């Protein structure tokens, strides 16, 4: 399948540098791109014609009965994520070898295994409690989402999606490719915990568009064959490729000099291990610099109520975030400290703050040596203490997670109440 994919790319005018191996060994994944000889900065490694990409945006989809359905006959607005997912099902299981992307899709089907939490049974998902993937609300059942969101669209046109392809496993397979290999996806997840991305029409509805008029500001997600063979690194010093557009071509260049027999890495984004697991099905082998702790609205309330803070009324006036991200350095963000400070203020101090129209209090105010400052210290200490306890709980959960998939091979640092 690898040779067929490469041949298909070359037949479609793609360029592949002779100094790289597209299907080489990798220490991080099943395979990766590796150099056969030293590369110079700015050398072109891949040139991929735009027509090889699999698009979700209506203006970029090639004319076909499927695109005609999306533009004219679809009964309701459909998000780009769902549109691309259902397009993959049609191309792989209905068009089959007649699809223009057949070598690419058959390569994915035979060679790519993605162990995303959307595939996990209920018993395994229990191990994610207390993480960003299951923060306070139980993740919605994927079968429920399929029946309510995806299946009604497919049922509108059985010539495009016959009954035999309207199946949950095929939907999950296509969605896992969109999640793990899609570019410019702008995936959205419920802040209270979710393993499946939002499939609603937020991208269309936000611009007031209909089914025949997609959002002009959201062009993804889309799949880009060959480029999606490059693995991710969370460490900037390891990344060595950059993607640019030249006309209608996607051009991949070396961003710096690369030694022979080195794996090429790119960035999927500054994601924590929890997000990498949810969206891509893996976690990093070392300490991910993008890992964060999340302090929830309720944790702030609980910690401050212990100090007799006047919480509810002040939170309503202040306007707060649902979740606050605390970096791995442990330095509490000013926004979070401001909330704690305000919740613990005396009535006179709060009146002064409220009339000042300040949104964030300065560092000097946070660390001032006063009785109020001591309250803040106790409150944030209680918050940190509760997180430390949850970190220990997560370590126990990780022991179970190690049994779930062979690709979860290192310590997880979830982006929540670890």
């Amino acid at each position: 399948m690898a040779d067929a994919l490469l041949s298909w790319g070359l037949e479609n005018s793609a360029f592949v540098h002779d100094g790289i191996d597209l299907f080489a060994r990798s220490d991080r994944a099943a395979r990766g791109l590796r150099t056969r000889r030293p590369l110079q900065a700015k050398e072109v490694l891949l040139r991929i014609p735009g027509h090889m990409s699999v698009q979700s945006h209506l203006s970029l989809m090639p004319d076909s009965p499927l695109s005609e359905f999306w533009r004219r006959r679809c009964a309701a607005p459909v998000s780009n994520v769902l549109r691309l997912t259902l397009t993959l099902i049609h191309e792989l299981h209905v068009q089959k070898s007649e699809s223009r992307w057949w070598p690419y899709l058959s390569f994915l089907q035979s060679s790519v295994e993605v162990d995303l939490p959307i595939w996990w049974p209920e018993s395994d998902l229990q191990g994610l409690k207390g993480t960003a993937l299951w923060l306070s609300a139980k993740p919605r059942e994927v079968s429920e989402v399929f029946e309510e969101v995806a299946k009604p669209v497919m049922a509108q046109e059985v010539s495009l999606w016959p009954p035999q392809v309207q199946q949950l496993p095929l939907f999950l397979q296509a969605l896992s490719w969109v999640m793990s290999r899609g570019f410019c996806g702008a995936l959205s997840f419920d802040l209270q915990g979710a393993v499946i991305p939002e499939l609603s029409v937020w991208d269309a509805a936000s611009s007031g568009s209909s089914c025949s008029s997609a959002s002009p500001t959201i062009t993804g997600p889309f799949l880009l064959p060959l480029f999606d063979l490059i693995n991710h690194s969370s460490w900037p010093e390891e990344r060595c490729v950059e993607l640019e557009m030249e006309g209608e071509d996607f051009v991949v260049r070396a961003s710096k000099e690369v030694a022979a027999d080195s794996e090429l890495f790119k960035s999927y984004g500054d994601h924590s291990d929890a997000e990498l697991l949810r969206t891509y099905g893996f976690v990093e082998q070392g300490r991910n610099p993008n890992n964060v702790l999340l302090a929830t609205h309720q944790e702030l309330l609980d910690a401050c109520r212990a100090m007799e803070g006047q919480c509810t009324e002040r939170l309503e006036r202040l306007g707060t975030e649902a979740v606050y991200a605390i970096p791995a350095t442990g330095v509490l963000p000013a926004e979070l400290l401001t909330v704690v400070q305000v919740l613990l203020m005396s009535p006179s101090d709060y009146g002064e703050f409220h009339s000042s129209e300040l949104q964030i209090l300065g560092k000097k105010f946070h660390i001032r040596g006063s009785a109020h400052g001591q309250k803040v210290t106790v409150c944030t200490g209680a918050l940190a203490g509760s997180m430390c306890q949850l970190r220990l709980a997560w370590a126990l959960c990780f022991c179970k997670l190690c049994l779930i998939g062979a690709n979860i091979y290192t310590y997880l640092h979830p982006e929540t109440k670890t």
Side-chain angles (χ1 to χ4, degrees):
M1 289 299 179
D3 291 340
L5 175 60
L6 178 57
S7 297
W8 171 71
L10 298 177
E11 290 169 2
N12 279 272
S13 302
F15 166 78
V16 179
H17 194 293
D18 61 7
I20 62 174
D21 184 352
L22 292 177
F23 310 101
R25 61 179 174 81
S26 171
D27 297 330
R28 310 268 180 98
R31 67 181 67 79
L33 267 69
R34 210 168 191 91
T35 58
R36 295 192 176 104
R37 61 171 178 78
L39 300 177
Q40 299 298 313
K42 299 303 180 181
E43 280 196 73
V44 175
L45 308 181
L46 297 170
R47 182 180 293 273
I48 306 164
H51 66 260
M52 288 179 60
S53 63
V54 190
Q55 296 285 343
S56 65
H57 198 275
L58 289 177
S59 65
L60 301 174
M61 297 181 76
D63 292 336
S64 68
L66 178 61
S67 62
E68 177 67 15
F69 167 79
W70 291 129
R71 294 185 180 113
R72 306 292 182 190
R73 301 196 305 277
C74 186
V78 173
S79 71
N80 286 357
V81 174
L82 181 58
R83 185 182 298 115
L84 182 56
T85 300
L86 300 187
T87 294
L88 292 176
I89 294 175
H90 170 77
E91 294 293 337
L92 179 60
H93 300 289
V94 180
Q95 289 294 98
K96 300 181 180 180
S97 60
E98 297 298 317
S99 170
R100 65 167 64 194
W101 299 288
W102 174 249
Y104 172 59
L105 298 178
S106 58
F107 170 80
L108 294 182
Q109 186 177 41
S110 64
S111 306
V112 176
E113 294 184 6
V114 185
D115 185 19
L116 301 183
I118 61 173
W119 289 95
W120 295 5
E122 171 70 20
S123 58
D124 290 342
L125 285 177
Q126 291 287 334
L128 297 176
K129 279 187 175 180
T131 74
L133 312 189
W134 190 332
L135 190 55
S136 59
K138 179 182 176 182
R140 195 177 178 193
E141 294 283 350
V142 293
S143 57
E144 177 185 344
V145 176
F146 172 69
E147 292 291 335
E148 291 184 3
V149 181
K151 201 169 182 179
V153 178
M154 292 190 285
Q156 293 179 46
E157 195 69 63
V158 294
S159 63
L160 298 176
W161 297 281
Q164 63 268 26
V165 306
Q166 297 181 27
Q167 300 179 27
L168 178 60
L170 302 186
F171 171 75
L172 289 179
Q173 180 187 57
L175 179 59
S176 68
W177 292 346
V178 172
M179 293 173 63
S180 64
R181 310 183 83 81
F183 295 93
C184 301
L187 298 180
S188 176
F189 295 88
D190 187 338
L191 278 177
Q192 300 307 313
V195 296
I196 189 169
E198 179 60 58
L199 298 179
S200 67
V201 296
W202 65 270
D203 55 346
S206 62
S207 64
S209 67
S210 66
C211 193
S212 61
S213 177
S215 168
T217 59
I218 299 176
T219 58
F222 62 90
L223 301 187
L224 189 55
L226 303 184
F227 182 62
D228 62 4
L229 296 172
I230 305 175
N231 289 324
H232 164 82
S233 174
S234 294
W235 296 275
E237 63 271 17
E238 290 188 339
R239 303 167 189 166
C240 51
V241 300
E242 55 190 17
L243 178 66
E244 300 174 346
M245 289 296 298
E246 291 187 2
E248 296 185 355
D249 292 348
F250 296 89
V251 179
V252 183
R253 285 186 167 86
S255 59
K256 60 183 180 181
E257 293 184 357
V258 185
D261 195 31
S262 298
E263 183 170 357
L264 303 178
F265 291 105
K266 64 182 178 184
S267 172
Y268 296 172
D270 295 332
H271 299 309
S272 68
D273 280 334
E275 190 57 49
L276 289 175
L277 175 62
R278 170 164 60 187
T279 307
Y280 302 99
F282 68 89
V283 294
E284 290 287 16
Q285 295 186 37
R287 179 174 288 275
N288 186 337
N290 301 309
N291 286 331
V292 296
L293 300 176
L294 295 185
T296 67
H297 207 139
Q298 188 59 47
E299 285 173 329
L300 288 178
L301 283 173
D302 291 344
C304 291
R305 280 195 179 114
M307 295 303 300
E308 299 180 352
Q310 301 177 28
C311 301
T312 306
E313 179 182 354
R314 294 184 181 186
L315 281 177
E316 290 175 353
R317 291 186 181 182
L318 185 61
T320 59
E321 302 292 335
V323 177
Y324 293 87
I326 304 173
T329 60
V331 177
L332 298 181
E335 294 83 357
L336 184 149
L337 277 173
T338 295
V339 172
V340 174
Q341 190 85 42
V342 169
L343 290 176
L344 298 175
M345 282 179 176
S346 66
S348 59
D349 283 345
Y350 177 71
E352 181 181 349
F353 168 77
H354 187 58
S355 62
S356 71
E357 297 184 356
L358 289 173
Q359 293 299 314
I360 299 176
L361 296 173
K363 182 178 179 181
K364 290 183 179 179
F365 190 80
H366 291 312
I367 62 175
R368 61 183 180 162
S370 65
H372 184 68
Q374 293 173 8
K375 283 186 177 183
V376 172
T377 301
V378 172
C379 177
T380 53
L383 181 63
S386 67
M387 290 181 175
C388 288
Q389 291 177 353
L390 287 164
R391 181 181 291 115
L392 295 175
W394 172 253
L396 297 176
C397 289
F398 176 71
C399 295
K400 293 191 293 183
L401 287 173
C402 286
L403 302 177
I404 293 173
N407 63 333
I408 306 176
Y409 44 73
T410 187
Y411 186 82
L412 286 178
H413 305 282
E415 64 177 11
T416 81
K417 315 177 294 180
T418 40

